[in-house]
C-alpha cells in the first residue's frame, strides 16, 4: 500500500512541478511521509521513475474495462475519465513521455509498460473483428492520444468534449477503422443514433 501511495505522490509531483520537481523529498512531502520513506522503496531516481510510470499503467489498465459489444462506449468512458478524474495522471504521463525522448533508461521503462496497454488494445480490437489488430492498435492509440492531448494540453483544453460527444466520435472512428463490426456502433437512443 505504501508503494502505491509513493507512486501516486510521484505522479502528483510530476504533474504539478514537472520532471525537475521530482525528488525523493518532494514525494515524501506530497505523500505525507517521514523524510527518507521514498528512498527506502525507490533508492534511485530511475527506480522512482519506474515506480511512477508503472503505477500510471496500472491505473490506466484498471480504468479500461470492456464488455462484449461495447467497445465505443467503453473507450469513450476511458477517454472522459482520463481527461477529468485522471487529468493529473495524464499530465504526468506527458511529462514522462517527453523525458523518455532524452533518457534511454526511461524510454525502455516507458515502452515496456506501454506495451502492456497496446497488447490489451490489440486483444480488444481482435475480438471486435479487426483483421489487423497490431496496425489498428497503433491507429486507435494515436487517435486517443490526439483527443486526450488536445483536450488537456492543446488548444481544445478550453472546451473538452462531453461524454456524449466522445461516444459519438469514438463510434465514428471505430466504424471507419472496423467497418461492419458491431462493437463500435452507438446504442439506440444515444447521441449518435443510427
Amino acid at each position: 500500500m505504501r508503494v502505491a501511495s509513493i507512486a501516486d505522490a510521484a505522479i502528483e509531483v510530476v504533474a504539478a512541478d514537472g520532471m525537475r520537481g521530482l525528488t525523493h523529498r518532494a514525494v515524501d512531502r506530497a505523500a505525507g511521509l517521514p523524510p527518507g520513506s521514498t528512498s527506502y522503496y525507490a533508492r534511485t531516481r530511475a527506480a522512482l521513475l519506474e515506480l511512477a510510470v508503472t503505477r500510471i499503467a496500472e491505473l490506466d489498465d484498471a480504468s479500461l474495462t470492456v464488455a462484449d459489444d461495447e467497445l465505443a462506449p467503453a473507450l469513450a468512458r476511458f477517454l472522459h475519465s482520463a481527461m477529468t478524474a485522471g487529468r493529473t495522471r495524464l499530465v504526468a504521463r506527458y511529462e514522462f513521455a517527453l523525458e523518455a525522448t532524452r533518457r534511454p533508461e526511461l524510454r525502455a521503462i516507458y515502452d515496456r509498460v506501454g506495451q502492456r496497454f497496446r497488447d490489451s488494445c490489440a486483444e480488444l480490437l481482435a475480438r471486435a473483428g479487426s483483421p489487423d489488430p497490431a496496425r489498428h492498435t497503433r491507429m486507435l492509440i494515436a487517435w486517443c492520444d490526439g483527443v486526450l492531448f488536445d483536450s488537456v494540453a492543446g488548444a481544445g483544453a478550453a472546451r473538452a468534449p462531453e461524454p456524449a460527444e466522445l461516444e459519438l466520435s469514438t463510434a465514428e472512428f471505430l466504424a471507419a477503422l472496423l467497418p461492419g463490426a458491431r462493437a463500435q456502433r452507438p446504442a439506440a437512443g444515444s447521441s449518435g443514433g443510427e
Side-chain angles (χ1 to χ4, degrees):
M1 196 61 150
R2 182 166 276 197
V3 173
S5 65
I6 288 170
D8 291 340
I11 292 165
E12 290 176 20
V13 168
V14 170
D17 301 326
M19 293 300 291
R20 290 182 185 215
L22 183 65
T23 65
H24 287 77
R25 284 186 196 157
V27 174
D28 284 340
R29 280 192 303 273
L33 296 171
S37 298
T38 298
S39 62
Y40 177 80
Y41 292 97
R43 288 245 176 250
T44 64
R45 182 176 171 83
L48 184 56
L49 292 170
E50 183 166 6
L51 198 66
V53 169
T54 301
R55 179 69 173 158
I56 288 171
E58 289 170 0
L59 294 169
D60 283 349
D61 286 347
S63 65
L64 181 59
T65 56
V66 180
D68 289 342
D69 293 342
E70 67 163 32
L71 184 55
L75 283 173
R77 283 191 306 272
F78 173 79
L79 292 170
H80 187 261
S81 176
M83 64 181 67
T84 55
R87 186 181 188 285
T88 297
R89 184 169 75 238
L90 187 60
V91 170
R93 184 166 64 90
Y94 294 146
E95 291 281 348
F96 287 122
L98 290 172
E99 186 70 9
T101 66
R102 298 179 286 274
R103 297 178 60 134
E105 68 279 8
L106 182 57
R107 174 89 271 154
I109 295 164
Y110 191 86
D111 289 350
R112 184 183 75 243
V113 169
Q115 189 60 47
R116 288 186 356 218
F117 190 75
R118 288 178 177 272
D119 291 344
S120 295
C121 283
E123 288 175 25
L124 291 172
L125 289 171
R127 285 198 325 249
S130 170
D132 192 349
R135 185 172 60 83
H136 288 157
T137 292
R138 179 184 282 281
M139 294 170 67
L140 177 61
I141 288 177
W143 181 81
C144 289
D145 277 345
V147 169
L148 289 171
F149 185 86
D150 182 63
S151 300
V152 171
R159 192 198 72 75
E162 294 295 323
E165 180 184 347
L166 280 170
E167 187 169 342
L168 178 60
S169 297
T170 304
E172 289 171 343
F173 178 79
L174 288 171
L177 188 67
L178 306 170
R182 293 181 338 134
Q184 75 274 4
R185 293 193 182 125
S190 75
S191 63
E194 286 266 28

